[in-house]
Amino acid sequence: MQAPADIAKTIVDPTAYQDGRIHDALAWLRKEAPVAKIVSDAYSPFWIVTRHADVMEAELRAADFSSGDKPVTLPSDDAAMAKGESTVPVARTLVNMDGAEHRAFRKLAQGYFMPQNLRKLEGRIRQLARRSVDHMASLGGECDFVKEVALDFPLRVIMEILGIPEEDEGLMMKMTQEMFGGEDKDLSRDGAQGDAAAIRAGIRAAVIAQMPYFIAMIEDRKANPRDDLASIIANGEVNGSPIGMAEAIGYYIITATAGHDTTSNTTAGGLWALAERPELLAELKADPSLIPGHVDESVRWASSVRHFMRGATADVQLGGTQIAKGDWVMLSYLSANRDESVFTDPFTYDVRRPANKHIAFGYGPHVCIGQHLGRMEMRIFWEELLPRLSSLELADTAMLSAATFVGGPKHVPIRYTMA
């Protein structure tokens, strides 16, 4: 079924993800057309998959729904090449790989992100969390939580893991915002909210701008290996051969950007939820055993990665709908994480969900390699903040970013008192 024109227009409109209109469109699709064709003027036609079960099935059927032969995000656009634009990834990352290649490259750093290894980092992560909470306490009881806290803490963690010096924080933040903020006029590289082609050009330019920095890092870690993730990647081998420069850069880029941006978005979303729910803040302060539930619910609630795109490698069926070989397919995690058939009262923020089956970290072969780190960071942050936070409220209107792919709160102005 082809989605109605107004629904299709909403799905590809970044501002719909900012003002909440997207949720009405996705709810309609889940009920009326869970696998629907989206036809718009902005992008190539594609299928959108909106139900939790269908998204999980597509993720598990990675041989049928490929990440390697088509763009993996909507702003890239499947038909851009026909318009004279390049769709070749500037740097290859895990999200652009499939099958044996994906498994081999994932294995290179997977051990680093396993819980047993991350436990060695917990003490240092707690120091960084305490530093951020101390900074928040020094601000006089009012701040934009995104700008002053949520952006900085996960960035500092990932920079230490990679071995990037603290003086380069500003550069890393600028790179990340330009890469993921291309659809938002306040975050984009040129400060404009342009058409799809301009957005693609800005994102590509942001990635290219990062390359000299990471090339220099690779060369340094090859010559002077250290005890950090950057050295593991730079000196890594895949199938007995040294990792290629494009793949090493891709590993750095995805770790240095996605490795903190999604955690920042989720932490800000969780704080926003508490600012609107003083009774929940009191419950969390009284019972710290609820913190893991708060973390998982904030991950579901924020769904910072809104989608990934896949390419059908054969004529396949999904959700009772026939999809042709070569078709482009959007897996909507934002929709799956509000699926009424899986989540009771999905638009209620509930830290006591008995089994929070969100798929905000993805599912199947491409599940997020850093999910355990993200959960650890957020748990530690709330363990440090909540005992010191006496009161909390919004000081002004909070706002989400305009983004179809990766997004979250860009302003959460708060007023608070700290013990």
Side-chain angles (χ1 to χ4, degrees), residues 115-281:
Q116 58 267 33
N117 185 65
L118 294 176
R119 279 194 286 271
K120 297 184 297 185
L121 305 175
E122 183 160 349
R124 179 54 179 157
I125 292 174
R126 191 170 296 279
Q127 289 178 348
L128 293 172
R130 196 167 295 153
R131 174 177 162 183
S132 289
V133 173
D134 287 344
H135 175 66
M136 181 173 165
S138 74
L139 296 174
E142 194 163 332
C143 73
D144 184 336
F145 182 77
V146 174
K147 179 181 178 182
E148 296 291 348
V149 183
L151 289 176
D152 290 341
F153 166 57
L155 176 61
R156 287 178 181 140
V157 171
I158 208 67
M159 287 181 67
E160 290 222 357
I161 285 173
L162 276 170
I164 297 174
E166 187 169 335
E167 57 264 27
D168 290 341
E169 278 186 8
L171 176 63
M172 289 296 108
M173 183 59 66
K174 181 175 184 290
M175 289 177 178
T176 303
Q177 290 185 332
E178 290 179 351
M179 186 172 168
F180 291 133
E183 296 173 297
D184 189 295
K185 60 183 176 60
D186 295 329
L187 304 174
S188 65
R189 185 175 177 84
D190 60 1
Q193 199 163 27
D195 60 17
I199 291 167
R200 288 192 293 274
I203 294 172
R204 190 175 181 83
V207 174
I208 291 172
Q210 299 179 50
M211 294 180 72
Y213 184 93
F214 290 118
I215 289 171
M217 182 183 293
I218 292 167
E219 292 173 346
D220 173 73
R221 295 309 195 273
K222 282 182 176 292
N224 307 288
R226 307 180 197 173
D227 184 20
D228 57 27
L229 182 59
S231 296
I232 292 174
I233 295 169
N235 296 285
E237 292 188 353
V238 174
N239 299 325
S241 299
I243 187 173
M245 181 66 76
E247 289 77 15
I249 292 172
Y251 236 124
Y252 285 173
I253 288 176
I254 198 169
T255 305
T257 56
H260 72 86
D261 193 63
T262 51
T263 305
S264 297
N265 289 333
T266 304
T267 303
L271 193 284
W272 183 348
L274 295 186
E276 294 181 327
R277 297 164 178 82
E279 73 289 348
L280 179 55
L281 174 61

Side-chain angles (χ1 to χ4, degrees), residues 303-370:
S303 291
S304 180
V305 179
R306 276 83 187 262
H307 77 266
F308 267 116
M309 307 298 292
R310 302 286 188 254
T313 61
D315 294 342
V316 294
Q317 274 212 350
L318 183 66
T321 298
Q322 189 67 32
I323 296 174
K325 179 180 180 179
D327 282 0
W328 207 28
V329 183
M330 172 186 278
L331 306 182
S332 176
Y333 308 116
L334 185 65
S335 177
N337 288 330
R338 297 293 196 280
D339 189 334
E340 300 83 354
S341 69
V342 176
F343 303 99
T344 303
D345 298 324
F347 290 91
T348 296
Y349 193 93
D350 183 1
V351 302
R352 291 183 172 85
R353 292 190 183 277
N356 197 332
K357 299 179 180 179
H358 71 76
I359 49 175
F361 289 118
Y363 192 73
H366 280 277
V367 67
C368 176
I369 194 172

